[in-house]
Amino acid sequence: MRLTKITLTEDAPTVSLAKQGGTAGALRVNLNWGVRKQFRGWSTQRGRAVAHHADLDLDLCALYELADGRKGVVQALGNAFGSLHHPPYIHLDGDDRTGAVETGENLTVNLDHRQRFRRILVFVTIYEGARSFADLHATVTLTPQHGAPVAFSLDECTVPSPVCALALITGRGGDLVVRREARYLVPERGVSPQRTVDRAYGWGMDWTPGRK
């Protein structure tokens, strides 16, 4: 029997995966968003004006800290896609550029190794197509292989933020507790979105520029 989907809100932001039956198998973290067109200018083709737009490209990422103290990031940037059956037991399925509900971007966490996780911070950055999350509506869904799906929507963005902390997953005695963050961050000048998230949550990693 499939359990009813759980919706995390500002008033009820946390849920225990173990209490919902999510103690083994794969936990799929999905981000989907509407494709928003941003005007980039006009050019002339065959004597007529043509508008140029850019698709919004968001990147789903995860900072992780394992129980043995190892830390790192899973993201498309730098081809750091992770691994499901080896540390960090987190894998980014691919780099989607549409945000379609059927696909979107997906992280998979191997719950068979849940005792190895100290904490996982799932976050999203804007790679191109926009300067902030203003006027953007996105949904995050965590679906355990066994147990009830957990979902939440992002709040309205009122600051010039290109990076949003989505959810913090914390290990507690073999259980994993999911906390809705939905926290928009504004990087200082010259500071990358990844380093901004790191500073906000005290990960303490060294960062270098990367490409995808």
Side-chain angles (χ1 to χ4, degrees):
M1 182 176 68
R2 193 64 174 171
L3 299 176
T4 304
K5 182 172 73 173
I6 300 161
T7 300
L8 298 183
T9 65
E10 189 173 348
D11 293 331
T14 63
V15 65
S16 161
L17 289 182
K19 290 181 179 179
Q20 301 302 322
T23 57
L27 170 67
R28 180 187 181 209
V29 183
N30 173 264
L31 170 73
N32 67 70
W33 64 93
V35 176
R36 185 161 64 95
K37 300 290 186 178
Q38 284 218 331
F39 180 66
R40 275 192 173 177
W42 296 87
S43 66
T44 302
Q45 295 181 10
R46 296 181 180 180
R48 62 188 180 90
V50 178
H52 291 277
H53 301 268
D55 286 341
L56 180 65
D57 181 12
L58 303 184
D59 282 347
L60 186 63
C61 315
L63 282 171
Y64 64 83
E65 182 179 2
L66 301 182
D68 62 9
R70 280 181 287 181
K71 300 177 182 179
V73 64
V74 175
Q75 59 179 6
L77 201 65
N79 295 317
F81 288 95
S83 175
L84 199 58
H85 301 291
H86 302 281
Y89 308 107
I90 305 168
H91 182 253
L92 178 63
D93 294 359
D95 181 25
D96 180 74
R97 301 200 176 197
T98 65
V101 174
E102 295 81 5
T103 54
E105 294 225 348
N106 297 281
L107 277 165
T108 305
V109 179
N110 190 340
L111 295 183
D112 292 339
H113 296 276
R114 63 191 181 280
Q115 293 182 336
R116 297 176 182 261
F117 297 119
R118 183 169 294 166
R119 56 178 179 160
I120 304 167
L121 179 69
V122 181
F123 66 100
V124 58
T125 66
I126 297 174
Y127 184 71
E128 63 181 7
R131 293 183 178 180
S132 80
F133 285 103
D135 301 322
L136 172 68
H137 300 286
T139 301
V140 181
T141 306
L142 294 81
T143 307
Q145 187 172 337
H146 310 286
V150 178
F152 62 88
S153 297
L154 299 187
D155 297 323
E156 181 180 355
C157 179
T158 58
V159 294
S161 169
V163 56
C164 180
L166 300 177
L168 183 64
I169 304 172
T170 306
R172 296 183 183 176
D175 186 12
L176 291 176
V177 176
V178 179
R179 187 178 77 194
R180 175 186 187 270
E181 296 291 310
R183 180 181 174 189
Y184 295 105
L185 302 171
V186 181
E188 297 177 2
R189 182 181 296 274
V191 178
S192 70
Q194 289 83 355
R195 188 184 295 273
T196 299
V197 173
D198 183 313
R199 289 179 178 178
Y201 287 86
W203 236 263
M205 291 172 50
D206 294 324
W207 295 92
T208 57
R211 294 182 177 181
K212 67 173 185 176

